[in-house]
Amino acid sequence: MAILLQLIASGVAVGMIYAAIAFGYQLTFATSKTLNFGQGEALALGALFGLTLVPFIGYWLMIPLVLVFGFALGAVVERLGVRPAVKIKSEYGWIMATIALGIIFKNVAENVWGRDDLKFPSPLPETAIQVAGIRILPMELLIVGGALLMMLAVEIFNRKSIWGKAVVATSNDIDAAGLMGINTQRVITLSYSISAMTAAFAGVLVAPVTLTGATMGAVLALKAFAVAIIGGLESGLGVIVGGLILGVAETLTGFYISTGYKDVPGLILLLVVLSLRPVGLFGKAVIKKV
């Protein structure tokens, strides 16, 4: 039982990283029905940018600057990759455009920071602590708390601020929002900025417990996309539940079966959900009149 609880605790930390990245997918899909397939590169750039700043200003002061960096990066992706494709009503152009920008960002990162993985200094002690008989790294607690705090902050922003309410209105009905005077193009840009910002923040959360490099976000973003599909692309709660399910399933499989099969449960779950409930566990099917 102690081993099981230990594995679950580790899985929760991993799952919250997936959820934080998947939350970014959910934000852009809700407003524009498009996705940024360069989320992994946004995560890596955020971590590398933070690594550059840490020696000068420390970990905690670095975080606000990384958030600003991620926010600006998302606006660039929307302006260069998504808006032109949407403007000419290209159904899939934004997919290739965001992938292309992701490749460009990765190449820039490799040329600036190199191809070798780098060690990100931890702001907390690296010695595990005992919590109810379970050994947990302080950074794992920070990952869970930071990811939840970030998603809660975005939710409060959506509920309490004018721009947040505009995001919600655009998510519900983009045409009606436009008729009510909301600048939906700016709202879509905002959603991409917040999406990349959450990815960059996830990068500096996970970096101290892993190695930092230009390719660190590729696998994380792919799994986060699976989480978004499993939980539902239009459900914030769904991405949290999906992330926890996938994170725990991976750790249990890696320990009880083999680390070579730890990615299998998530793929199986993804196939099952797509077969039985294509809108995701918490997604809602919408009937549109044509």
Side-chain angles (χ1 to χ4, degrees):
M1 181 58 68
I3 294 176
L4 177 62
L5 293 176
Q6 182 73 60
L7 293 171
I8 291 175
S10 298
V12 167
V14 174
M16 287 310 300
I17 287 296
Y18 296 157
I21 304 170
F23 191 68
Y25 287 128
Q26 184 261 331
L27 286 170
T28 59
F29 187 81
T31 56
S32 63
K33 298 300 180 287
T34 61
L35 300 167
N36 178 13
F37 285 102
Q39 278 287 86
E41 284 68 33
L43 181 146
L45 282 174
L48 289 167
F49 182 67
L51 180 62
T52 303
L53 296 177
V54 162
F56 302 101
I57 59 176
Y59 185 86
W60 306 109
L61 291 178
M62 166 272 297
I63 290 178
L65 295 180
V66 168
L67 294 180
V68 173
F69 172 78
F71 191 90
L73 187 66
V76 170
V77 170
E78 191 279 332
R79 184 63 185 88
L80 298 182
V82 178
R83 189 181 303 184
V86 173
K87 187 175 182 180
I88 63 174
K89 301 186 185 301
S90 174
E91 189 172 359
Y92 302 111
W94 55 269
I95 297 178
M96 295 308 302
T98 55
I99 291 175
L101 283 173
I103 294 173
I104 292 172
F105 291 153
K106 181 175 75 71
N107 288 337
V108 169
E110 289 176 342
N111 281 282
V112 174
W113 286 279
R115 295 175 179 268
D116 296 331
D117 291 328
L118 306 170
K119 173 66 176 175
F120 198 108
S122 176
L124 300 176
E126 298 185 14
T127 303
I129 58 177
Q130 292 279 349
V131 179
I134 304 172
R135 292 174 59 83
I136 302 176
L137 291 173
M139 272 308 302
E140 291 179 337
L141 294 177
L142 181 61
I143 287 171
V144 175
L148 287 174
L149 183 63
M150 179 271 297
M151 288 184 275
L152 177 62
V154 174
E155 187 64 24
I156 292 174
F157 171 79
N158 286 341
R159 291 179 181 273
K160 300 298 183 179
S161 69
I162 294 297
W163 276 102
K165 292 177 180 179
V167 170
V168 174
T170 304
S171 302
N172 291 332
D173 192 324
I174 188 171
D175 294 325
L179 292 173
M180 294 298 293
I182 295 175
N183 189 329
T184 56
Q185 186 58 67
R186 287 188 179 180
V187 170
I188 292 173
T189 303
L190 177 64
S191 70
Y192 264 83
S193 292
I194 297 176
S195 173
M197 183 177 69
T198 60
F201 181 61
V204 296
L205 281 181
V206 73
V209 297
T210 184
L211 293 176
T212 306
T215 60
M216 65 177 291
V219 175
L220 290 173
L222 182 61
K223 292 183 179 181
F225 181 65
V227 164
I229 298 297
I230 292 170
L233 269 170
E234 296 186 2
S235 171
L237 177 61
V239 298
I240 295 176
V241 174
L244 294 177
I245 291 173
L246 182 58
V248 172
E250 283 186 356
T251 56
L252 293 179
T253 303
F255 182 83
Y256 288 110
I257 300 178
S258 170
T259 55
Y261 290 100
K262 70 182 184 69
D263 295 330
V264 172
L267 296 175
I268 292 176
L269 181 59
L270 176 63
L271 293 174
V272 170
V273 170
L274 287 176
S275 300
L276 301 180
R277 190 172 172 78
V279 294
L281 297 177
F282 290 82
K284 295 180 180 180
V286 178
I287 300 176
K288 292 185 178 180
K289 295 181 180 181
V290 295

